[in-house]
Structure formats: C-alpha cells, structure tokens
Amino acid sequence: MMKALLPVVAVLALSGCATQTFTMQAGDPLIPTQETNHGFFVDGIGQRKTVDAAAACGGADQVVKVEVEQRPIDILFSVVTLGIYTPRGARVYCAG
C-alpha cells in the first residue's frame, strides 16, 4: 500500500500550480465573473481553447483581468494519464 502511495505523494509534493495573469486595467476584483475549465489531450499539442472575456463582461472596456491556471490536481491528472488528458482553468474578472 505504501509503495503505491509514494508516487502520488511525490507528484503532489513536486508539483505546484502555474498561473498566467493578463491585466487589462487597474483594479483587482476578488470574485471572477466567469470560470471555465478546459480539457486538453496529448498535452494540448496543436489545440486551442478560447474564452471571450469581452462577451463575459459586456464589453472589452469592462475586462479587468484574465487568468489561466493549472492547479496541482490538474498536474496530477496529466501525470496519471501520461499527458493524454491535461486540464486547465480560466477565469475572467470584470469591472464593477
């Protein structure tokens, strides 16, 4: 039992989250207006997912920031599936 748990613990200990943040204007809202999870296959090679931040906020001038994140559980899914399935999350923050 312990030997089977060791790789899982090692992956979680060595992995962290990766977040890319794109700031469009000043402000830092605490609650995202839109949250989306995307699943990529074969490490996302040649794949694109789009989030329309302007539509989520009612106009491009209302977008404060957009974040794309890969959490430790997403990294675990990627490792367990040998990169066949790689999830990532995206969040859109709007003004007001």
Side-chain angles (χ1 to χ4, degrees):
M1 172 79 172
M2 194 64 168
K3 286 184 182 182
L5 215 55
L6 186 62
V8 173
V9 172
V11 165
L12 289 175
L14 294 174
S15 68
C17 64
T19 304
Q20 293 81 39
T21 302
F22 307 95
T23 304
M24 287 17 145
Q25 59 177 299
D28 196 16
L30 299 175
I31 301 171
T33 304
Q34 177 182 353
E35 263 188 275
T36 309
N37 290 312
H38 296 290
F40 294 91
F41 296 93
V42 192
D43 274 333
I45 296 173
Q47 298 172 48
R48 292 183 183 185
K49 302 288 182 176
T50 303
V51 175
D52 191 347
C57 294
D61 60 328
Q62 297 296 311
V63 179
V64 174
K65 71 178 177 179
V66 177
E67 289 181 342
V68 179
E69 180 180 39
Q70 191 171 21
R71 299 169 299 164
I73 190 72
D74 299 335
I75 295 169
L76 179 64
F77 276 123
S78 181
V79 169
V80 168
T81 63
L82 302 175
I84 294 172
Y85 177 69
T86 307
R88 288 189 181 93
R91 288 185 293 275
V92 176
Y93 295 85
C94 302

